[in-house]
Amino acid sequence: MTPPQRQRRELVPEAPTPQEGEDKPGNPERMYVVAGPDGERAELDLVTLIVARATDPPPSASPEQAALLRLCAAPLSVAELSAYLHLPFSAMGVLLTELLTADLVQARAPIVRKARSDRSLLEAVMNGLQRL
C-alpha cells in the first residue's frame, strides 16, 4: 500500500505596493473599545463577589454580558466567572467595568472569616455540651 501523495501549493503573487500619488489604505476601524472614554477600569480582585441587579439582560447587552448577568443571579467571584465563561481575567475586568458603570451588577468585598475562633467561646460551648 502506498502512502498518499502531497500536492504542491501554488505560489500566490504578492499584492502590488502602492505607487506614489496613490492613496494608501488607512488603519482598519476598531471593532471594540477596551476601556471607557477616560480609560479607567473598576478596582476588581479575583475574589471580589459580583451580583446582578437585573434579572434579565437588556437587549443592548453583548452575548458575554448577557451570560455574565445570568450567572450572577447568586454572588460569584470574578475568578469563578472567568472560569465559567472561559475568559481571561483582563477580559472579565473590561466586561465587569462596563456592567458596573451601567449599574447592572454590584461588586462586593469577599466575606472574610477570622483565622482563629475565640478560645473562651469554644470552652463555653464545650462546657455546655458536657453538662448535657
Side-chain angles (χ1 to χ4, degrees):
M1 184 172 185
T2 59
Q5 299 293 319
R6 291 188 180 186
Q7 295 179 356
R8 228 176 244 277
R9 295 183 192 172
E10 294 181 23
L11 293 176
V12 178
E14 292 183 17
T17 58
Q19 302 294 328
E20 276 189 43
E22 290 183 17
D23 290 334
K24 293 183 180 180
N27 289 337
E29 186 176 338
R30 292 189 310 176
M31 301 302 285
Y32 194 80
V33 178
V34 176
D38 53 358
E40 291 185 16
R41 290 192 188 174
E43 293 293 326
L44 297 172
D45 201 4
L46 286 173
V47 293
T48 303
L49 296 176
I50 306 295
V51 183
R53 290 187 177 186
T55 55
D56 293 328
S60 61
S62 68
E64 292 85 7
Q65 291 173 339
L68 201 144
L69 286 172
R70 283 189 214 102
L71 282 173
C72 290
L76 287 175
S77 70
V78 176
E80 289 173 315
L81 291 170
S82 179
Y84 287 142
L85 295 177
H86 304 290
L87 292 173
F89 176 70
S90 57
M92 287 303 300
V94 172
L95 286 172
L96 289 172
T97 300
E98 291 175 356
L99 292 175
L100 284 167
T101 55
D103 284 334
L104 294 174
V105 295
Q106 180 181 10
R108 297 182 183 170
I111 300 169
V112 180
R113 297 189 175 139
K114 286 186 173 180
R116 292 185 176 190
S117 301
D118 186 20
R119 184 178 175 101
S120 62
L121 176 65
L122 291 176
E123 287 176 357
V125 170
M126 192 166 73
N127 290 336
L129 288 174
Q130 287 176 349
R131 285 186 210 145
L132 291 175

